[in-house]
Amino acid sequence: MTIKKVASWSDTKFITYSSFLFSLPVFVNKPDKDILVPSLLLFSTSIISANFWRNALYDWRRTLDIYFARLSFSYFFIHGLYCIPWPYNFITSINTFNIGYCYHKSGEEYERKNKRWVWYHVGFHASVAFNVYYILKYFPRKNCLLTGTPVKM
């Protein structure tokens, strides 16, 4: 029994590389013990995503990538709602719509067998990394409705 390919390497190589954008905000933000858990989550997400896209098959790696992406997105979405101060929360809220648009458009174009789906997916990865930068910048150590600490900008 052969496992069906999602897409060829020529289509997915840029998505594979863009998977590592998830880890970029960790390196750009100031190191702190408070961002250890989110950093591990981002590194794991990057590795799992790149591992899937390097040879995109309809197998267990795809399932793991989808579940881990949902877990990671939920974690950062919730922290983004409560930890990012004005005006950055406005910017990241607008970008969250862009994340949804790119994700939706990527799937739509993939179904139409249009090669542009790859660039929408790369845009999805880049947009997520943009929001994660601000989430880590204002993570609970500085400002968060979850911890009740005051805003420091």
Side-chain angles (χ1 to χ4, degrees), residues 52-103:
F52 166 66
W53 287 111
R54 71 178 172 78
N55 183 20
L57 300 171
Y58 288 100
D59 64 357
W60 66 271
R61 292 178 306 113
R62 180 175 186 269
T63 305
L64 180 65
D65 180 43
I66 289 169
Y67 282 116
F68 217 83
R70 288 178 183 170
L71 169 76
S72 186
F73 182 83
S74 299
Y75 178 87
F76 286 104
F77 183 79
I78 290 166
H79 280 84
L81 287 175
Y82 291 106
C83 298
I84 303 174
W86 175 263
Y88 305 109
N89 60 0
F90 179 71
I91 295 165
T92 57
S93 295
I94 291 171
N95 191 52
T96 301
F97 286 108
N98 188 51
I99 290 169
Y101 173 77
C102 286
Y103 183 80

Side-chain angles (χ1 to χ4, degrees):
M1 176 171 102
T2 58
I3 300 172
K4 186 179 175 201
K5 268 191 160 313
V6 174
S8 67
W9 170 247
S10 63
D11 289 342
T12 63
K13 64 183 168 189
F14 295 109
I15 299 174
T16 304
Y17 302 141
S18 73
S19 294
F20 292 104
L21 289 174
F22 301 139
S23 297
L24 191 60
V26 174
F27 297 114
V28 176
N29 279 291
K30 187 173 98 173
D32 194 305
K33 65 179 174 132
D34 289 342
I35 64 169
L36 179 63
V37 170
S39 297
L40 292 173
L41 184 59
L42 289 168
F43 288 135
S44 300
T45 303
S46 290
I47 290 167
I48 289 168
S49 178
N51 185 44
F52 166 66
W53 287 111
R54 71 178 172 78
N55 183 20
L57 300 171
Y58 288 100
D59 64 357
W60 66 271
R61 292 178 306 113
R62 180 175 186 269
T63 305
L64 180 65
D65 180 43
I66 289 169
Y67 282 116
F68 217 83
R70 288 178 183 170
L71 169 76
S72 186
F73 182 83
S74 299
Y75 178 87
F76 286 104
F77 183 79
I78 290 166
H79 280 84
L81 287 175
Y82 291 106
C83 298
I84 303 174
W86 175 263
Y88 305 109
N89 60 0
F90 179 71
I91 295 165
T92 57
S93 295
I94 291 171
N95 191 52
T96 301
F97 286 108
N98 188 51
I99 290 169
Y101 173 77
C102 286
Y103 183 80
H104 171 74
K105 198 69 173 157
S106 173
E108 193 176 82
E109 295 298 320
Y110 177 80
E111 291 298 320
R112 292 181 182 163
K113 301 197 184 326
N114 187 336
K115 297 277 186 181
R116 284 187 306 208
W117 77 271
V118 171
W119 298 112
Y120 283 110
H121 205 88
V122 169
F124 163 73
H125 284 183
S127 296
V128 167
F130 178 85
N131 273 15
V132 168
Y133 167 78
Y134 283 103
I135 294 164
L136 291 182
K137 183 177 174 94
Y138 297 104
F139 204 67
R141 67 187 182 273
K142 296 179 183 167
N143 166 50
C144 190
L145 294 174
L146 295 173
T147 60
T149 55
V151 174
K152 279 187 176 178
M153 297 199 340

